[in-house]
Amino acid sequence: MTREERQPNLLLKQARGTLSQARLAELVNEEILHATGSVGAITAKSISDWERGWYRWPGKHARDALCRVLGAPDAAALGFENRRTAAEPAPVVVAAPDTTALLDLAGLNGKGSLGQGEVGRLEVPGGRLFSGLDLDAFYWPAEPTGSDRLAVRSRDDDATVRPDRRSAVIAVTDAAGEEWYHVADGRQFARQPLGPDQTRDLSSAYLLDDLTVAILWMITNTDAALLADDYSLEHYRTQLSPYDELPSSSLTFGAVPDLHELSARWLGSRFCADHILRNLSRLTSTPLFWSREQRGEEASSWLIWTHKIQYLSATSKVLKRHRRAFCVPEHEVTKSPRYERLLMLLAVAMMEAFQITVDITTDPDHGQVEGFVLGGEAIVANWLRAPGLWYVDASAPSSRRAVYREIAEAATNRSIIDQPTPTRRLEALAGYLDIPWRWFRKRCIELSAVGASGIAQPRSRLLSTMGLDLALTYVASLDRNQGV
């Protein structure tokens, strides 16, 4: 279908009635959240594109939510048409892209229904801090080569390397009549040289499943936010540098009015990490670090924020062995999709890779306590789920130290993953998060061999896959190095 042949979706526009496109997007996102537990990524532009006929078949979650909001019996009543089910076979390349929900693909454990050669979009959902985004997606045919590699026949290299758009290559293979998807960063993939048969290699480890969805979700959302605020972040870091010299300080979000909330949290995290490093010498005994991450979206910062892995490396060199505790209440686990829970498990695995013993408490009341380091003296450093940008204190008052001692005792004595080895601690956490351990370790072995950047390469200078790759490699090596 050419651009001239696209017809407006009048049924959807009529069903919307007096609702604005922005309000309809809000209601649809609320319905998606209610139905799936995940925040939708529908925008006013999404509604506009559907009404203009640019995209004829939204993802399943979006279709179902639209029907509920607008009182329609099915998607057809709203003017939507799945052109892939038409009697005539689809052409090899479809000029008008369909919209495919990323979670729809992942929910099929890698199997789906999109045809080879189609051009479309992947709607990457948002979260509590993640805004969500959509990627250009190129569904290209692939053939297994028999050596854990796929030979992918690319069709539009120029489109995958556009500097203004992040893209994903979805390699589509057919096995026993079923289509399987593998995902790759478009720009990284297109940089590989073409083989004599005009194909490029792609690792079969990049099978689209909960783990690759987790990596794509984490990197693309974080990268988009930090890139958008890159200039402002550098400006504010310079402007706020005098606070580095103060033993105690706090700052409101009003000090950084131009920043997206995720970028502001990055700035607070960086300041708190530096504050702790400046004051480590005040500690008089082996410390416990109390971290406030409760969900995978929050814990993803440990895996890809460059300053976080530098911070872990620096503290581990000074302290050798120490403990870190998290509060992960059961209700947060229940509300988190599996791809998000995987990020929490990977973040803990990275801690253990630094020889940090991790404790997990589930008492919701503990989750209200600010971040701290307790080792005789108590250092306060709080930025996550905080009312301001940060609050730090090089020496907490005695009343707070009593609270910290109580939390530390509960975390170490009643940890739900209290086990003698890292393998058993991680396996216990996987059980609590409802993640199949054998599958998880198998996928870590496969991905650690090829690296995570092939799935989604960060573009921001503030991000790296170093921590993520460390976690994957560590889990892959566990059973060889330690008893289970």
Side-chain angles (χ1 to χ4, degrees):
M1 181 172 63
T2 65
R3 179 173 299 194
E4 288 75 16
E5 292 171 332
R6 292 175 183 147
Q7 297 297 320
N9 185 344
L10 298 179
L11 289 177
L12 177 60
K13 190 171 185 178
Q14 291 170 1
R16 176 166 62 87
T18 59
L19 278 176
S20 69
Q21 292 174 339
R23 179 55 181 158
L24 178 56
E26 290 177 0
L27 293 173
V28 169
N29 285 331
E30 290 173 4
E31 278 295 324
I32 292 174
L33 177 62
H34 178 73
T36 69
S38 298
V39 179
I42 309 305
T43 64
K45 185 179 183 301
S46 302
I47 305 298
S48 174
D49 288 346
W50 294 332
E51 290 185 351
R52 292 163 62 197
W54 284 86
Y55 308 113
R56 306 296 301 179
W57 194 243
K60 182 179 185 303
H61 295 314
R63 297 195 309 270
D64 292 347
L66 279 164
C67 288
R68 289 192 295 270
V69 170
L70 297 176
D74 53 36
L78 295 177
F80 293 120
E81 177 186 2
N82 186 354
R83 297 182 182 275
R84 296 188 297 276
T85 62
E88 293 298 320
V92 174
V93 177
V94 180
D98 285 328
T99 299
T100 300
L102 180 63
L103 296 185
D104 287 350
L105 297 180
L108 294 170
N109 296 320
K111 292 178 283 187
S113 58
L114 284 181
Q116 298 180 13
E118 294 191 24
V119 182
R121 289 194 302 159
L122 285 182
E123 290 185 358
V124 182
R128 294 183 174 184
L129 291 178
F130 294 168
S131 296
L133 70 158
D134 62 86
L135 311 179
D136 290 336
F138 300 88
Y139 297 83
W140 289 338
E143 294 291 338
T145 64
S147 57
D148 297 327
R149 310 292 295 181
L150 306 175
V152 184
R153 192 168 300 280
S154 60
R155 300 182 184 275
D156 191 357
D157 292 344
D158 290 341
T160 65
V161 296
R162 285 177 51 175
D164 62 322
R165 288 285 295 175
R166 178 183 281 278
S167 66
V169 168
I170 309 296
V172 186
T173 62
D174 190 303
E178 293 184 334
E179 289 182 341
W180 295 79
Y181 295 143
H182 295 72
V183 62
D185 182 280
R187 186 160 67 172
Q188 290 291 99
F189 179 80
R191 283 174 174 170
Q192 300 179 50
L194 275 170
D197 58 352
Q198 299 302 296
T199 65
R200 291 187 175 90
D201 279 352
L202 181 66
S203 172
S204 61
Y206 293 149
L207 175 70
L208 187 62
D209 62 5
D210 283 320
L211 186 53
T212 47
V213 165
I215 293 170
L216 191 65
W217 180 68
M218 163 180 63
I219 291 177
T220 56
N221 270 295
T222 309
D223 199 53
L226 294 187
L227 276 176
D229 286 335
D230 186 76
Y231 176 84
S232 295
L233 277 170
E234 188 60 26
H235 167 73
Y236 285 128
R237 278 196 64 198
T238 302
Q239 186 181 60
L240 300 175
S241 60
Y243 285 90
D244 295 346
E245 309 302 321
L246 302 178
S248 176
S249 66
S250 62
L251 209 62
T252 68
F253 288 114
V256 290
D258 300 337
L259 294 184
H260 180 280
E261 186 178 357
L262 182 61
S263 300
R265 295 300 186 188
W266 180 94
L267 194 62
S269 170
R270 177 62 186 264
F271 185 87
C272 286
D274 290 344
H275 172 79
I276 290 172
L277 290 175
R278 286 193 298 269
N279 290 283
L280 276 181
S281 60
R282 302 174 65 92
L283 302 177
T284 58
S285 60
T286 302
L288 178 132
F289 289 70
W290 176 253
S291 292
R292 300 201 73 202
E293 291 84 4
Q294 296 186 339
R295 294 175 62 127
E297 181 184 15
E298 298 169 341
S300 68
S301 62
W302 291 105
L303 297 168
I304 59 172
W305 293 9
T306 304
H307 74 267
K308 299 285 266 187
I309 194 167
Q310 292 171 342
Y311 162 73
L312 282 181
S313 179
T315 54
S316 295
K317 285 179 181 178
V318 173
L319 300 171
K320 303 306 179 186
R321 286 186 176 273
H322 54 283
R323 308 182 80 92
R324 185 173 288 273
F326 297 86
C327 174
V328 185
E330 187 174 351
H331 70 270
E332 294 290 3
V333 175
T334 302
K335 290 189 296 185
S336 301
R338 178 174 288 176
Y339 68 86
E340 184 177 7
R341 285 177 266 137
L342 279 162
L343 296 178
M344 175 61 75
L345 183 57
L346 283 168
V348 172
M350 192 184 74
M351 307 285 179
E352 294 280 359
F354 277 101
Q355 298 187 323
I356 301 169
T357 299
V358 176
D359 299 307
I360 302 289
T361 176
T362 62
D363 188 335
D365 291 339
H366 293 169
Q368 306 305 313
V369 178
E370 63 270 19
F372 64 84
V373 186
L374 180 66
E377 185 59 84
I379 303 169
V380 183
N382 196 58
W383 61 274
L384 182 59
R385 284 183 288 110
L389 196 62
W390 71 65
Y391 163 60
V392 299
D393 196 334
S395 181
S398 58
S399 59
R400 295 310 292 167
R401 285 201 297 271
V403 173
Y404 301 158
R405 284 193 294 269
E406 180 182 338
I407 293 294
E409 181 181 354
T412 55
N413 294 339
R414 298 193 293 275
S415 171
I416 63 166
I417 62 169
D418 183 18
Q419 296 291 334
T421 67
T423 302
R424 290 185 176 179
R425 285 193 290 275
L426 290 172
E427 191 170 2
L429 179 57
Y432 177 64
L433 298 175
D434 193 23
I435 295 170
W437 174 254
R438 290 182 182 273
W439 167 84
F440 174 65
R441 184 171 175 274
K442 175 179 178 291
R443 293 295 284 128
C444 286
I445 291 172
E446 294 168 348
L447 284 174
S448 65
V450 293
S453 63
I455 299 169
Q457 172 67 51
R459 297 185 178 187
S460 169
R461 61 193 171 89
L462 306 176
L463 302 177
S464 165
T465 60
M466 185 183 304
L468 174 58
D469 285 328
L470 173 61
L472 293 169
T473 301
Y474 182 71
V475 174
S477 69
L478 274 178
D479 288 352
R480 291 198 302 270
N481 296 336
Q482 302 186 49
V484 297

